[in-house]
């Protein structure tokens, strides 16, 4: 039994098929379809196959003739069995074919994560579903799948969606996430694990920000932020509005990865593995854009409501959120210096408030007295900050990389940026470079041999007297290079021992060298008076 119905929806003729199309009824089916098409003046054609149980080659020939008449023909709600036939015969390459999506209920399901574009629910012990806010989110789901695969290939631990489903009137993306628990839930249930959460959270953040993305693979957050600034400029005094746009435009382009919505609901612990979820906001750009979204999540959203919004969103007390933000910022920057922390936080706040103001205004916040007061609070903070900040860029004090020679240039560039900012002379910079290269290469060659591991490079510029302090830390084989015997440089070449000159040069060009082995780590500190 075959049923055929048709209706016109926004200049698209939608024909619904139910039952079977085979050699016995194909001619009749084609006549009915053509009759429906003749009754309506449609620009495009969509065939809804939700009720179609079977289609033979006779039915496929009907689809071919329809495709010739309507170049944008689409087939939707195709059952798995019919989809296999279409796929085997190449129809999925000739026209848009969308499978029927199974329905999933989230009634009574635990919310385990929330991002800008959707909410993640646990539907059973093994699986979660991300329900998208936009009812027509198929393109968003495909985008998130693509960028998640890219992130996984580039070494970022994440989950890949394996199915698309219907959740009410919305679409959902299903992931395998075994017994996962968000960092928000861990902090709410076990506040004593704050420091552990901070360490894991920042380790993953550094990994993300240390990942170079091939050109054109991800959106550029700088371009997005320029759009925010241009929008908010119209709501600020003229001078402050112009400065805001200039500050954002002056942020250099950067091809390193940023998540875009990096907060504790989007970090999941499954077993002993920490995973990043909600990948649809993945982009490239300067870390200030990431820190801005982090500030908003932990502090900015709740400022006007004394933390009520933060607590509602994050799932734990706003004082915990503020403490987590402060500790994470200090760990990420590698410093406890209050001046440095405040300087970077202010830069993040400028971008953060810009985003919050735009978001609220676009959601008709100026028409709501409470929302309008909130906007005015953010505007006053933003205007004050614009009078104090002249650049949105900053230098973190610590870099963590895999201890390999290929990362030497990155380590040298990191240290050089700090020396240049401190006004270091070319001669002094060269001497520091020489010492740093010798120590770093020594770690790369021997610390983890024959395996590999990480090394952290920490740079601090001290005042009175001005001194560069560079510390390298690794968890490799215990070894104090300062105990290496000093070579006799008075010997002729044929009597010289090979090796030892690197440490000798390091001792010569640096003003102080210290080594200690503590808590399973080799820690070597070099000081150079500037």
């Amino acid at each position: 039994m075959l049923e055929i119905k048709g209706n016109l929806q926004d200049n698209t003729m939608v024909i619904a098929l139910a039952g079977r199309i085979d050699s016995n009824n194909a001619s009749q089916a084609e006549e009915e379809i053509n009759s429906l098409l003749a009754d309506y003046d449609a620009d495009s054609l969509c065939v809804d196959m939700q009720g179609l149980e079977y289609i033979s080659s006779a039915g496929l020939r009907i689809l071919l003739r329809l495709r010739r008449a309507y170049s944008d023909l689409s087939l939707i709600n195709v059952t798995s069995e019919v989809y296999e036939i279409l796929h085997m015969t190449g129809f999925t390459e000739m026209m848009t074919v969308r499978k029927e999506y199974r329905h999933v209920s989230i009634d009574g399901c635990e919310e385990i994560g929330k991002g800008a574009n959707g909410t993640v629910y646990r539907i059973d012990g093994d699986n979660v579903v991300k329900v998208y806010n936009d009812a027509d989110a198929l393109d968003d789901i495909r985008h998130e799948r693509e960028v998640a695969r890219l992130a996984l290939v580039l070494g970022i631990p994440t989950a890949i969606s394996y199915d698309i489903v219907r959740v009410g009137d919305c679409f959902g993306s299903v992931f395998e996430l075994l017994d996962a628990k968000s960092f928000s839930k861990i902090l709410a249930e076990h506040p004593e694990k704050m420091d552990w959460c901070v360490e894991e959270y920042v380790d993953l953040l550094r990994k993300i920000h240390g990942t170079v993305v091939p050109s054109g693979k991800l959106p550029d957050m700088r371009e997005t932020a320029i759009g925010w600034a241009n929008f908010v400029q119209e709501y600020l005094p003229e001078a402050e509005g112009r400065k805001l746009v200039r500050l954002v435009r002056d942020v250099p382009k950067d091809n390193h990865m940023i998540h875009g919505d990096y907060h504790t609901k989007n970090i999941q612990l499954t077993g002993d593995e920490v995973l990043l979820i909600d990948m649809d906001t993945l982009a490239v750009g300067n870390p200030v854009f990431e820190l801005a979204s982090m500030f908003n999540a932990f502090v900015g959203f709740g400022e006007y409501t004394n933390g009520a919004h933060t607590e509602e969103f994050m799932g734990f007390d706003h004082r915990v959120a503020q403490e987590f933000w402060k500790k994470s910022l200090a760990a990420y920057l590698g410093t406890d210096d209050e001046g440095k922390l405040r300087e970077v936080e202010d830069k993040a706040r400028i971008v953060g408030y810009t985003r919050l103001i735009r978001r609220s205004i676009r959601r008709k916040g100026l028409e709501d007295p409470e929302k309008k007061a909130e906007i005015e609070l953010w505007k006053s903070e933003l205007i004050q900050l614009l009078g104090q900040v002249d650049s949105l860029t900053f230098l973190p004090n610590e870099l963590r990389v895999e201890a390999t020679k290929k990362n030497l240039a990155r380590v040298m560039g990191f240290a050089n940026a700090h020396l240049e900012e401190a006004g270091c002379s070319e001669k002094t910079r060269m001497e520091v470079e020489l010492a740093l290269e010798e120590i770093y290469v020594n770690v790369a060659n021997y610390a983890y041999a024959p395996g590999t591991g990480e090394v952290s490079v920490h740079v601090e510029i001290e005042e009175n007297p001005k001194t560069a302090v560079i510390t390298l830390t690794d968890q490799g084989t215990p070894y104090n290079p300062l105990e290496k015997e000093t070579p006799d440089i008075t010997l002729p070449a044929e009597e010289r021992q090979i090796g030892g000159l690197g440490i000798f040069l390091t001792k010569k060009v640096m003003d102080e060298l210290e080594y200690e082995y503590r808590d399973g780590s080799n820690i070597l500190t070099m000081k150079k008076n500037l």
Side-chain angles (χ1 to χ4, degrees):
M1 181 71 178
L2 176 66
E3 293 183 18
I4 301 175
K5 297 179 181 179
N7 64 87
L8 191 66
Q9 298 179 10
D10 298 327
N11 291 322
T12 296
M13 184 63 186
V14 179
I15 293 179
L17 304 178
R20 298 166 58 92
I21 300 181
D22 54 30
S23 298
N24 292 323
N25 63 9
S27 295
Q28 177 190 347
E30 190 165 14
E31 285 181 14
E32 290 187 39
I33 291 171
N34 287 333
S35 176
L36 286 169
L37 291 172
D39 290 341
Y40 295 93
D41 182 19
D43 295 330
S44 57
L45 175 61
C46 173
V47 179
D48 187 340
M49 294 184 162
Q50 186 172 22
L52 191 68
E53 302 166 3
Y54 172 84
I55 188 169
S56 70
S57 61
L60 295 179
R61 286 194 289 272
I62 296 173
L63 295 178
L64 276 176
R65 286 189 281 273
L66 290 174
R67 171 64 176 75
R68 293 184 186 123
Y70 295 88
S71 60
D72 61 350
L73 171 66
S74 61
L75 313 180
I76 64 172
N77 296 325
V78 182
T79 63
S80 298
E81 294 78 11
V82 173
Y83 184 89
E84 285 300 315
I85 295 171
L86 295 172
H87 182 67
M88 284 189 294
T89 52
F91 276 65
T92 54
E93 302 297 322
M94 290 188 289
M95 60 192 72
T96 300
V97 181
R98 294 178 178 172
K99 293 177 71 174
E100 180 184 22
Y101 302 107
R102 65 186 177 97
H103 288 259
V104 168
S105 172
I106 57 171
D107 291 344
C109 291
E110 175 194 3
E111 178 187 314
I112 67 167
K114 192 167 187 177
N117 298 321
T119 305
V120 180
Y121 299 90
R122 175 158 294 285
I123 51 178
D124 57 42
D126 295 341
N127 301 283
V128 301
V129 60
K130 176 179 178 180
V131 182
Y132 287 74
N133 300 332
D134 185 352
D136 186 18
L138 285 175
D139 288 341
D140 293 335
I141 291 174
R142 294 187 185 100
H143 168 74
E144 181 164 6
R145 278 181 162 183
E146 289 173 5
V147 299
R149 286 192 184 97
L150 173 65
L152 196 63
V153 168
L154 294 174
I156 306 301
T158 187
I160 302 293
S161 168
Y162 68 84
D163 195 13
I164 300 174
V165 297
R166 278 284 195 180
V167 183
D169 294 329
C170 298
F171 284 103
S173 194
V174 183
F175 302 80
E176 184 179 51
L177 216 57
L178 303 177
D179 297 322
K181 181 177 287 190
S182 74
F183 273 33
S184 282
K185 191 166 186 179
I186 294 173
L187 287 167
E189 296 177 352
H190 303 283
E192 73 279 4
K193 293 187 176 181
M194 166 80 75
D195 290 341
W196 178 87
C197 287
V198 167
E199 182 179 357
E200 295 291 332
Y201 179 87
V202 172
D203 277 351
L204 181 53
L205 183 61
R206 283 177 173 156
K207 188 174 186 66
I208 296 166
H209 291 180
T211 301
V212 176
V213 179
S215 179
K217 291 293 186 180
L218 291 177
D220 186 346
M221 186 58 77
R222 175 180 174 272
E223 297 303 316
T224 302
I226 289 173
W228 300 339
N230 284 331
F231 180 95
V232 173
Q233 179 182 14
E234 303 301 319
Y235 298 89
L236 298 177
E238 185 177 355
E240 284 78 5
R242 285 200 309 269
K243 184 172 183 180
L244 173 63
V245 173
R246 178 182 64 78
L247 286 176
V248 177
R249 286 187 179 277
D250 284 349
V251 175
K253 285 182 174 290
D254 195 323
N255 63 346
H256 285 85
M257 185 185 294
I258 59 176
H259 181 261
D261 199 20
Y262 195 76
H263 55 70
T264 48
K265 274 198 165 183
N266 284 335
I267 314 298
Q268 302 284 326
L269 180 66
T270 173
D272 59 356
E273 185 178 14
V274 177
L275 295 179
L276 181 65
I277 66 169
D278 209 22
M279 305 294 278
D280 55 325
T281 53
L282 217 61
V284 294
N286 189 280
V288 71
F289 301 125
E290 189 90 90
L291 296 184
S293 71
M294 288 165 55
F295 170 80
N296 283 349
F298 295 117
V299 182
F301 274 119
E303 280 188 310
Y304 180 77
T305 59
N306 293 321
H309 287 174
T310 306
E311 188 167 351
E312 179 183 352
F313 176 72
M314 299 306 301
F316 49 77
D317 187 84
H318 74 281
R319 288 170 294 185
V320 174
Q322 289 176 315
E323 183 183 1
F324 188 86
W325 158 249
K326 293 289 188 184
K327 286 190 170 187
S328 296
L329 183 62
Y332 177 76
L333 295 175
T335 183
D336 292 321
D337 184 286
E338 288 296 332
K340 174 77 172 181
L341 293 174
R342 185 64 188 179
E343 173 194 338
V344 175
E345 183 182 59
D346 284 350
K347 295 172 189 288
R349 288 169 69 208
I350 286 178
V351 179
Y353 289 138
T354 300
R355 187 173 186 179
L356 289 175
I357 293 167
R358 172 188 174 275
R359 177 180 181 273
S360 188
I361 291 175
R362 284 169 57 90
R363 297 186 180 194
K364 304 188 183 302
L366 292 175
E367 301 173 12
D368 181 313
E370 184 175 337
K371 295 293 184 185
K372 185 176 181 180
E374 189 174 46
I375 291 170
E376 289 303 318
L377 168 67
W378 292 330
K379 278 177 58 178
S380 65
E381 294 285 342
L382 178 57
I383 290 169
Q384 182 180 0
L385 288 167
L386 287 168
Q388 302 168 356
V389 174
D390 292 317
S391 169
L392 295 180
T393 58
F394 61 88
L395 290 173
N397 288 67
E398 187 169 288
L399 174 70
R400 187 176 300 173
V401 296
E402 186 180 5
T404 61
K405 286 185 179 179
K406 70 179 182 180
N407 283 323
L408 175 61
R410 188 174 167 201
V411 168
M412 303 298 278
F414 170 75
N416 252 321
H418 283 276
L419 296 173
E420 288 176 10
E421 187 179 61
C424 185
S425 70
E426 186 175 341
K427 176 178 181 295
T428 302
R429 193 162 64 242
M430 184 194 72
E431 291 175 341
V432 173
E433 285 181 7
L434 177 64
L436 179 57
E437 178 177 348
E438 296 296 342
I439 297 299
Y440 176 80
V441 170
N442 192 67
V443 173
N445 283 339
Y446 305 114
Y448 297 100
T452 60
E454 288 189 334
V455 58
S456 69
V457 183
H458 188 281
V459 180
E460 199 83 50
I461 305 298
E462 296 180 346
E463 302 291 339
N464 302 319
K466 202 163 196 176
T467 306
V469 182
I470 303 177
T471 304
L472 287 86
T473 304
D474 68 79
Q475 287 73 48
T477 303
Y479 174 66
N480 181 0
L482 303 185
E483 292 179 346
K484 193 170 183 66
E485 184 178 350
T486 301
D488 187 349
I489 61 173
T490 64
L491 294 174
E494 59 272 13
E495 297 180 24
R496 290 269 194 104
Q497 293 290 324
I498 296 175
L501 285 176
I503 297 300
F504 173 76
L505 287 171
T506 300
K507 291 177 178 178
K508 283 290 185 182
V509 299
M510 299 304 284
D511 292 298
E512 291 184 45
L513 291 169
E514 297 177 0
Y515 168 87
E516 65 172 322
Y517 186 79
R518 185 177 72 240
D519 299 330
S521 298
N522 294 294
I523 305 169
L524 192 140
T525 302
M526 306 184 291
K527 294 185 179 182
K528 181 69 175 178
N529 296 330
L530 304 181

